[in-house]
């Protein structure tokens, strides 16, 4: 079951909940800056598990403490609710882990 | 202690031991294709540990089963023996793990 491509107004509305994200090149985009490689890759490892569980995977790159994310749903030809769900999980995982 | 930037003839000679690698954009470059995301990210997790131990980290991107690598030594302004060492570790880690 493929998620449906969201239209521009849907995307704009959903982005209000994710202020650090933007649409770039037709994909949901964010750049994260961590303290160092260990933190950056720790984030990526957490996201990898969640992405596999969701069966929805990011396009991403990493250089040292920077992780750049682009989310799109290839089957739908654009941004879907699955991309927003994964972006939301990333925001949660990027926050400090301890209380 | 910074590794010394290798000249073109050094690089050409060292590449004979790494036939799947090439120089692209002044960096040591390779694209790995795995069976799926689990294998691709498993490789990345292995490389991350080695890179951290070496204190030498890749520029890399991942989309599903593909991992694209670019290696350079920023301090040296080019490709050094550290990049070849990391590339060699990646080749080792990308091979099947069991006997």
């Amino acid at each position: 079951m493929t998620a449906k491509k969201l239209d521009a107004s849907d995307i704009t509305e959903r982005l209000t909940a994710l202020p650090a994200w933007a649409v770039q090149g037709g994909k949901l985009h964010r750049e994260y800056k961590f303290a160092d490689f260990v933190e950056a890759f720790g984030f990526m490892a957490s996201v990898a598990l969640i992405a596999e569980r969701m069966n929805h995977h990011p396009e991403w790159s990493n250089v040292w403490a920077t992780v750049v994310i682009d989310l799109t749903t290839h089957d739908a030809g654009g941004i879907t609710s699955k991309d927003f769900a994964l972006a939301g999980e990333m925001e949660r995982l990027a926050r400090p882990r301890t209380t």
Side-chain angles (χ1 to χ4, degrees), chain A residues 33-48:
Chain A
K33 290 271 191 185
F34 294 92
D36 56 24
F37 179 76
V38 169
E39 291 203 5
F41 198 82
F43 167 74
M44 292 178 75
S46 304
V47 170

Side-chain angles (χ1 to χ4, degrees), chain A residues 52-85:
Chain A
E52 187 64 19
R53 189 179 70 195
M54 295 173 76
N55 193 26
H56 189 59
H57 302 83
E59 301 177 12
W60 51 0
S61 62
N62 160 244
V63 179
W64 178 241
T66 300
V67 180
V68 177
I69 313 278
D70 286 286
L71 303 178
T72 186
T73 305
H74 288 279
D75 291 352
I79 296 168
T80 68
S81 59
K82 292 166 79 171
D83 298 305
F84 277 97

Side-chain angles (χ1 to χ4, degrees), chain A residues 4-42:
Chain A
K4 188 166 156 272
K5 180 180 171 175
L6 298 172
D7 65 26
S9 65
D10 275 345
I11 290 169
T12 301
E13 189 181 325
R14 286 167 187 254
L15 278 174
T16 60
L18 293 170
W21 290 75
V23 176
Q24 187 175 300
K27 298 172 183 176
L28 209 53
H29 178 87
R30 173 161 187 188
E31 182 173 317
Y32 288 96
K33 290 271 191 185
F34 294 92
D36 56 24
F37 179 76
V38 169
E39 291 203 5
F41 198 82

